[in-house]
Amino acid sequence: MTDRTPGFATLAIHAGAQPDPTTGARTTPIYQTTSFVFNDADHAASLFGLQAFGNIYTRLGNPTTAVLEERVAALEGGTAAVATASGHAAQVTALHQLLRPGDEFIAARKLYGGSINQFTHAFKSFGWNVVWADPDDIASFERAVTPRTKAIYVESIANPSGSITDIAAIAAVARDAGVPLIVDNTLASPYLIRPIDHGADIVLHSLTKFIGGHGNSIGGVIVDAGTFDWSRDNKYPILSEPRPEYHGIKLQETFGNFAFAIACRVLGLRDLGAALSPFNAFLFLTGVETLPLRMQRHCDNALAVAEWLAAHPAVNEVNYAGLPGNRYNELARKYAPKGAGALFTFTLKGGYEAGVNLVSNLKLFSHLANIGDTRSLVIHPASTTHSQLTDEQKIQAGAGPDLVRLSIGLEDKEDLIADLDQALRG
Amino acid sequence: MNHDIYDDDYIRGILDSMKTIAMVGASPVNVRPSYFAFKYLAQRGYDMIPVNPGQVGKSLIGKPFVASLDDIDRAVDMIDIFRNSEAALPLVEQALKMTPRPKVIWMQLGVRNDDACALAENAGLKVVMNRCPKIEYGRLSSEISWMGVNSRTLSSKRAPVPTQGMRLSLHRVSVGGGDTAAADRAARLKDDKNNRS
Ligand SMILES: Cc1ncc(COP(=O)(O)O)c(C=O)c1O
């Protein structure tokens, strides 16, 4: 069957999984165990020395989690993936393989507020310096490149603004600078955008959102595209030089085009310790099987609600890249032709006050700090996810004080519109 | 043929039909990739012969080293080259003089020599370059999946629990002809770079 390439929905169900070798169980079992017995001393030594394929300890890898990792790697078109305890854990684990104290990375200004905090404050104590650039101004990335730059970081669809990033243009900047492009693909999911196809070298997700899709688990994942040559100019010694922890193994030499994923596992998970629980991996596996169905419905519902809001007299402006006339509509049609995602923001003519009233009047939408649930969600970013930012940072991140963010769920769109209608009437 | 990207069936056919593999440049140092690959392939039931003139008199996991391809006492199906790319040409020349002739020249991850490849292919041998047989075997059998590696294969069949010396089935459904979209891009970029310079 090598002449047929299985499609996305087939991969979403089958990639990485096969019936359990001992029991024949068809659904991937939850291997809720900390550790795995060795056959003998030689087997143990081979596993610890990274010479054999097998399981040791769930902080390093787990058979349930491995199915999820291969599934996401297949959906993104990468060579390998590593699951982590959260999306934030994926970010720190990935960057830890690339940056030394005093190094820099360039990040798009329009990011999830938690990522802006992580980069600005937590990473400063590691001596990693974030340099901000404007995703709507590609030249600002070029200007930010210095000899200490080790990576460029963007979101494919930015949270909360829902703006679409010109991944290919920024990938070209990264290629010229000789650094990897890291794309947080949480909001798009590989169903809408596959960043690797547009030049990304590393893709990250908060699995918590659309891949899990049911609002029941926190998790993250790092996908290695297998495209970056880490040994070219000595800029990435973790990947190109002998590792003292493993008796002098050189990771890229040994593992080739999935060396970055191996580094994230055998150094990142081993030493930083942010492993995903096998139980959560199981829930994510259940979620990801329906990703294509859910994602399409999220987009179709979001477009209907956005169109309705855009025509409402109380609404000032709807920022949804799926709407014709939106400044990101052209990029949306290029990068995400199946839909511009579930998330968008809008401002109300009544300003801050009207936003607060809307949130409290809604009966079906849940007021909470998450996105990518089956349920429709609403939040006022300025007072929650982005509250730690300065006013200027809030506006730059697309989270001004008069703005409401919706994450449209899978309910009947007529019910969502009716709920917004009654809430706007007050 | 295109040596940037291999069809899974091509690799599968080679790994399924080989029995005896001579590994040139096999290292007794247990952190070298050649040691990993040698040990793994031996555990998967291949008759492995370590070739390294500096190690004659010693053995690698119980298999005695030989100094060169000429010193091998039995028919060899495949030569696995764990040397630098320049060493591949004289090794192919030497391999073509062996009787019976080996059927496959395999150059390890990072090793590529298009002249050596052309010489071997013109003599009717199959060639694989810049790949690791351990990784490819682990991928096609999905044994590599434990570390989240994309095997790019699917199967709804129950696989046996692997034991020492067991050959695994490599006959899973391939996702795409060979490599990932990303690997295609890497190959394209490399070509672009070569064309530019
Ligand atoms: C785009 C994006 N990236 C990363 C994260 C962080 O993920 P987690 O909450 O799983 O740590 C979030 C969470 O909201 C997000 O929206």
Side-chain angles (χ1 to χ4, degrees):
Chain A
M1 244 183 93
T2 45
D3 48 355
R4 239 200 96 68
T5 297
F8 190 89
T10 302
L11 293 180
I13 291 165
H14 287 280
Q18 60 187 337
D20 185 62
T22 43
T23 62
R26 182 58 266 221
T27 292
T28 299
I30 307 170
Y31 289 96
Q32 192 70 25
T33 180
T34 55
S35 13
F36 303 84
V37 292
F38 306 119
N39 302 339
D40 51 41
D42 181 56
H43 180 226
S46 315
L47 287 173
F48 276 107
L50 306 180
Q51 296 161 11
F53 305 125
N55 297 291
I56 302 174
Y57 187 65
T58 286
R59 171 152 44 76
L60 294 167
N62 173 281
T64 309
T65 309
V67 174
L68 172 68
E69 291 165 335
E70 185 172 355
R71 180 84 45 90
V72 177
L75 293 175
E76 287 286 6
T79 53
V82 178
T84 56
S86 68
H88 265 13
Q91 294 164 202
V92 67
T93 303
L95 287 167
H96 202 257
Q97 312 316 315
L98 306 179
L99 276 79
R100 309 281 83 198
D103 283 345
E104 295 170 3
F105 69 108
I106 304 169
R109 242 182 220 118
K110 284 189 182 164
L111 291 185
Y112 165 56
S115 298
I116 295 176
N117 277 332
Q118 186 191 45
F119 294 179
T120 310
H121 303 294
F123 286 1
K124 193 175 272 170
S125 64
F126 297 166
W128 305 346
N129 301 312
V130 59
V131 180
W132 300 107
D134 179 357
D136 300 327
D137 173 15
I138 303 301
S140 70
F141 283 83
E142 284 166 17
R143 286 195 299 274
V145 173
T146 76
R148 302 230 62 155
T149 306
K150 291 297 171 71
I152 296 181
Y153 190 105
V154 301
E155 289 177 3
S156 52
I157 302 181
N159 182 6
S161 65
S163 62
I164 312 280
T165 302
D166 191 347
I167 300 170
I170 297 175
V173 177
R175 206 157 50 234
D176 289 342
V179 302
L181 174 63
I182 305 175
V183 177
D184 178 339
N185 198 30
T186 300
L187 264 61
S189 90
Y191 176 73
L192 296 180
I193 300 178
R194 299 211 322 168
I196 292 172
D197 294 345
H198 304 290
D201 300 295
I202 296 164
V203 174
L204 306 181
H205 281 276
S206 168
L207 294 170
T208 316
K209 320 299 180 193
F210 295 96
I211 291 186
H214 294 71
N216 58 25
S217 314
I218 301 280
V221 72
I222 302 162
V223 182
D224 185 349
T227 45
F228 198 83
D229 180 4
W230 306 103
S231 305
R232 194 168 42 194
D233 49 13
N234 228 18
K235 264 204 310 224
Y236 303 97
I238 288 187
L239 291 134
S240 64
E241 300 308 304
R243 290 313 303 169
E245 307 89 328
Y246 288 102
H247 310 292
I249 283 183
K250 295 183 192 171
L251 291 176
Q252 185 173 19
E253 178 192 60
T254 307
F255 296 104
N257 66 3
F258 54 91
F260 180 75
I262 293 291
C264 290
R265 180 182 308 284
V266 305
L267 301 171
L269 289 186
R270 191 190 74 154
D271 299 337
L272 302 177
L276 183 68
S277 130
F279 183 72
N280 281 8
F282 175 81
L283 293 172
F284 289 133
L285 277 170
T286 305
V288 75
E289 290 188 3
T290 55
L291 177 67
L293 296 172
R294 287 187 290 104
M295 222 51 219
Q296 192 59 58
R297 169 81 168 213
H298 277 299
C299 291
D300 296 348
N301 276 0
L303 183 60
V305 174
E307 279 170 348
W308 181 84
L309 280 171
H312 196 283
V315 172
N316 196 13
E317 197 186 6
V318 178
N319 309 301
Y320 184 51
L323 290 178
N326 181 277
R327 74 176 284 200
Y328 298 103
N329 190 246
E330 203 174 314
L331 285 171
R333 275 185 283 135
K334 171 176 176 189
Y335 286 100
K338 294 200 277 288
L343 218 75
F344 66 88
T345 62
F346 63 101
T347 49
L348 287 160
K349 288 182 181 149
Y352 184 87
E353 199 77 356
V356 170
N357 284 340
L358 170 73
V359 167
S360 66
N361 289 344
L362 285 165
K363 293 180 177 150
L364 212 48
F365 281 78
S366 306
H367 181 205
L368 54 73
N370 190 30
I371 56 169
D373 197 326
T374 53
R375 286 153 277 262
S376 290
L377 314 173
V378 60
I379 202 163
H380 182 225
S383 60
T384 52
T385 49
H386 287 64
S387 62
Q388 267 114 18
L389 306 184
T390 64
D391 278 350
E392 195 195 342
Q393 277 180 317
K394 279 176 194 159
I395 290 164
Q396 280 173 347
D402 58 339
L403 179 126
V404 174
R405 183 190 75 189
L406 299 181
S407 171
I408 299 297
L410 307 178
E411 301 96 334
D412 290 297
K413 58 180 185 282
E414 296 78 9
D415 294 331
L416 300 176
I417 288 169
D419 192 29
L420 285 163
D421 192 30
Q422 66 79 23
L424 284 170
R425 260 187 263 140
Chain B
M1 67 178 273
N2 178 358
H3 285 279
D4 289 326
I5 291 157
Y6 295 104
D7 199 74
D8 278 359
D9 272 345
Y10 181 71
I11 302 284
R12 194 178 273 134
I14 289 172
L15 291 174
D16 257 353
S17 56
M18 298 295 99
K19 288 191 179 67
T20 305
I21 302 177
M23 185 184 285
V24 184
S27 169
V29 180
N30 71 0
V31 299
R32 299 302 301 153
S34 61
Y35 179 94
F36 290 15
F38 189 94
K39 189 170 167 185
Y40 177 77
L41 294 171
Q43 281 171 348
R44 284 285 151 261
Y46 291 100
D47 174 17
M48 299 298 295
I49 303 166
V51 183
N52 187 334
Q55 304 295 331
V56 176
K58 299 186 199 137
S59 62
L60 187 52
I61 57 162
K63 325 270 178 197
F65 276 100
V66 298
S68 89
L69 294 176
D70 300 335
D71 301 324
I72 297 174
D73 58 2
R74 54 196 186 276
V76 172
D77 297 315
M78 175 168 126
I79 313 285
D80 184 8
I81 301 179
F82 254 102
R83 298 280 311 280
N84 57 41
S85 299
E86 294 73 56
L89 187 59
L91 281 168
V92 169
E93 285 165 353
Q94 203 180 355
L96 292 179
K97 291 192 201 114
M98 293 168 78
T99 40
R101 261 190 195 171
K103 301 176 197 74
V104 175
I105 302 289
W106 188 302
M107 301 182 209
Q108 204 46 45
L109 208 54
V111 183
R112 176 162 182 154
N113 186 324
D114 289 307
D115 296 336
C117 171
L119 183 64
E121 284 185 329
N122 287 338
L125 277 65
K126 286 185 175 165
V127 178
V128 177
M129 297 192 285
N130 191 24
R131 292 288 186 282
C132 172
K134 175 190 173 185
I135 290 173
E136 294 304 307
Y137 196 98
R139 188 174 72 73
L140 293 171
S141 66
S142 91
E143 207 188 358
I144 204 168
S145 298
W146 75 274
M147 43 188 183
V149 173
N150 185 0
S151 71
R152 306 196 299 278
T153 64
L154 308 177
S155 173
S156 61
K157 293 282 179 290
R158 177 174 172 178
V161 181
T163 53
Q164 276 281 353
M166 185 197 267
R167 285 285 198 105
L168 304 177
S169 166
L170 306 181
H171 292 263
R172 297 161 54 86
V173 176
S174 277
V175 174
D179 286 275
T180 57
D184 289 357
R185 174 159 63 86
R188 244 193 346 264
L189 290 176
K190 207 176 78 210
D191 282 351
D192 285 354
K193 225 184 313 166
N194 293 344
N195 294 342
R196 256 187 273 150
S197 56

